[in-house]
Amino acid sequence: MRRAVAIVATAIALCTSAFAQTPEQQQAIERAERIGRDIDEHDRAAWLGTDAIRADMGDAIGARMRGWITERDGDQIIVTFVTEDGGELRSLYRATLRNGALTARGESSAPLSEAQLRLYRARQAATRSGFAGCSRTYNTVTLPNADGQTADVYPLPGTTDRRVVLVGGAYRVRVDLQNATVLETQAFSRSCLTLQRDPAVNEQLLYFTHLTTPMPTETHVFLNLSLGLPLAVGTPDGLWSIENGRISALQESAH
């Protein structure tokens, strides 16, 4: 099945030609690309930081962790693992990601700043918001918005099986940073769509349809970057390819 999906998608891509986008579509593309890359960098920092803390402090450290937060500082992402000490939330370990790799790591015991506490509480509010999950394991990325008052938390389904691609089940939960209340929840799919891949085969192109928005979203850009695989996505507006974090129009919808 996986090879059939890849071959069909490749044939579709070769038989199409790009179509012009409206200014609104171009804005949506630029937004999805920008946020999708941001999600990927924060997610990468979190999982590389998790590997680092377990290597440095042992697997038993998981019992002390209460979660983590990620923060952008220029061209780097700082991930802070959180613990609770005497009822106070403090940092347990910090790691810094730059250019896709950790450049610093180590234990920490500093109290969380007010900004860090707000991010932590926003993440907690989103994970407890009751969205319908498609996996027993979810990763989260929390991105503050430019208004300084809200953050978008992205619960993303996870799996340790490299043969499985979890296309469905991603969400965006907007949280008020002042009081950690959920303002809105956006589901990026209607079902728990799962595709199969062969990790031993490099020349793959995954194809699927997406009906909840007219165009691909930031979670599709993240999926492309995290998998390292080109995607072909059919939406109500047409057929799109996503490669190296870039969305390209292939074929306009007939309606």
Side-chain angles (χ1 to χ4, degrees), residues 40-53:
D40 181 64
E41 290 182 7
H42 283 259
D43 180 71
R44 184 177 298 272
W47 66 257
L48 287 177
T50 300
D51 289 346
I53 189 175

Side-chain angles (χ1 to χ4, degrees), residues 1 45 61 97-98 106 108 112 116 120 124 193 199 208 230 251:
M1 174 63 73
I61 200 65
L97 180 87
R98 177 182 286 139
S108 173
L112 297 188
Q116 290 175 326
Y120 176 81
Q124 295 296 96
L193 176 63
F208 55 89
Q251 186 177 62

Side-chain angles (χ1 to χ4, degrees), residues 8 13 18 21 23 42 56 69 81 96-98 116 120 146 159 162 174 198 216 218 235 246 253:
V8 169
Q21 292 91 63
H42 283 259
D56 293 347
I69 57 173
F81 292 90
T96 301
L97 180 87
R98 177 182 286 139
Q116 290 175 326
Y120 176 81
T159 177
R162 297 185 64 240
R174 179 155 293 182
D198 183 353
E218 58 264 36
T235 76
R246 298 294 183 184
S253 174

Side-chain angles (χ1 to χ4, degrees), residues 141-219:
V141 169
T142 304
L143 303 179
N145 290 311
D147 59 16
Q149 304 299 311
T150 63
D152 285 333
V153 183
Y154 289 86
L156 307 163
T159 177
T160 58
D161 189 341
R162 297 185 64 240
R163 298 168 299 176
V164 173
V165 179
L166 301 177
V167 176
Y171 290 82
R172 179 186 62 82
V173 182
R174 179 155 293 182
V175 179
D176 187 320
L177 287 173
Q178 303 301 315
N179 52 29
T181 56
V182 173
L183 301 176
E184 64 174 308
T185 300
Q186 177 185 3
F188 287 103
S189 61
R190 294 180 178 175
S191 67
C192 297
L193 176 63
T194 301
L195 299 180
Q196 298 291 321
R197 61 173 293 202
D198 183 353
V201 179
N202 292 324
E203 60 280 2
Q204 298 182 70
L205 177 66
L206 295 181
Y207 168 73
F208 55 89
T209 57
H210 167 78
L211 301 177
T212 59
T213 61
M215 300 171 59
T217 71
E218 58 264 36
T219 58

Side-chain angles (χ1 to χ4, degrees), residues 6 62 64 86 103 106 127 132 152 169 183 193 205 214 221 255:
R64 294 174 57 193
T103 58
T127 58
D152 285 333
L183 301 176
L193 176 63
L205 177 66
V221 174
H255 68 268

